[in-house]
Amino acid sequence: MAVTVLTHPLIQHKLTILRDIDTGVKIFREVVGEISMLMCYEAMRDLPLEEIKVMTPVAEANSMALAGKKLALVPILRAGLGMVDGILSLIPSAKVAHIGLYRDPETLQPVEYYCKMPPDIADRDCFILDPMLATGGTAAEAARFLKDAGARSIKLLTILSAPPGVDKMESSHPDVEIITCAVDGHLNNHGYIVPGLGDAGDRIFGTK
Ligand code: URA
């Protein structure tokens, strides 16, 4: 499985803003949107192109256009929602599938409470969106849902990762590429990434 760490200076700078305890909810939410947009730009690097003819004000040109591959964004509720709008501003025609999974605070295992996908999900390139890849339980479960629904092309876009989450995805879904901005050291006893950025959902939605 490929883990792509986005080392671009702009992305690393924005990640530092997200890590900072003094970053308030407004800026945090905006920067999650911006960094998601930049991540999507990288995640789409291998999309197929086709040559088309276009008339410029000067002459006809042979020029490249996306070859019409369809995309589905799959935010894992709730923190994944924070990544949707930034990506939709780049790809407004993408469909959005929702997967509601939460981590049981005792067992840290994923529990499903909502799932709604477009009927043609099997024909789409799927981007699972979750800002944090900690134990990997929810991301692995989301990938399993998508595969059960017929999806064959899946990438995981996660702002911050930890080794257990990467290992979990590698063992359960070696075909799913992980695109992330950093792989941090470890998880603490509550399953939080260390040093991480705290609870992404709470910081996006201002619930703590
Ligand atoms: N989810 C979060 O929001 N933060 C973590 O550090 C781990 C999981």
Side-chain angles (χ1 to χ4, degrees), residues 72-90:
L73 308 182
V74 189
I76 301 179
L77 304 182
R78 88 187 143 138
L81 290 174
M83 300 176 72
V84 171
D85 285 352
I87 298 179
L88 281 180
S89 66
L90 282 182

Side-chain angles (χ1 to χ4, degrees), residues 134-166:
T135 63
T138 49
E141 192 68 0
R144 191 187 63 74
F145 264 56
L146 288 172
K147 287 180 180 176
D148 286 351
R152 287 153 294 157
S153 165
I154 304 172
K155 291 183 180 180
L156 170 63
L157 275 63
T158 184
I159 294 174
L160 207 47
S161 307
V166 172

Side-chain angles (χ1 to χ4, degrees), residues 79 103 130-135 138 160 162 186-188 190-203:
R103 279 197 309 170
D130 192 349
M132 309 298 277
L133 179 64
T135 63
T138 49
L160 207 47
H186 64 282
L187 302 181
N188 67 16
H190 303 287
Y192 281 96
I193 297 175
V194 182
L197 52 73
D199 188 302
D202 281 340
R203 294 195 67 189

Side-chain angles (χ1 to χ4, degrees), residues 3-16 18-19 31-32 34-40 42 83 130-133 156-162 166 178-184 197:
V3 181
T4 304
V5 180
L6 304 179
T7 55
H8 192 287
L10 192 52
I11 290 181
Q12 291 301 312
H13 180 81
K14 289 184 187 296
L15 176 59
T16 301
L18 294 180
R19 288 188 190 277
V31 174
V32 165
E34 290 168 2
I35 211 169
S36 303
M37 206 187 295
L38 296 168
M39 293 175 73
C40 175
E42 281 292 333
M83 300 176 72
D130 192 349
M132 309 298 277
L133 179 64
L156 170 63
L157 275 63
T158 184
I159 294 174
L160 207 47
S161 307
V166 172
I178 298 173
I179 295 167
T180 189
C181 306
V183 182
D184 275 8
L197 52 73

Side-chain angles (χ1 to χ4, degrees), residues 18 23-33 197 200 203-204:
L18 294 180
T23 299
V25 61
K26 176 177 184 290
I27 301 294
F28 191 91
R29 193 182 296 143
E30 286 172 2
V31 174
V32 165
L197 52 73
R203 294 195 67 189
I204 291 167

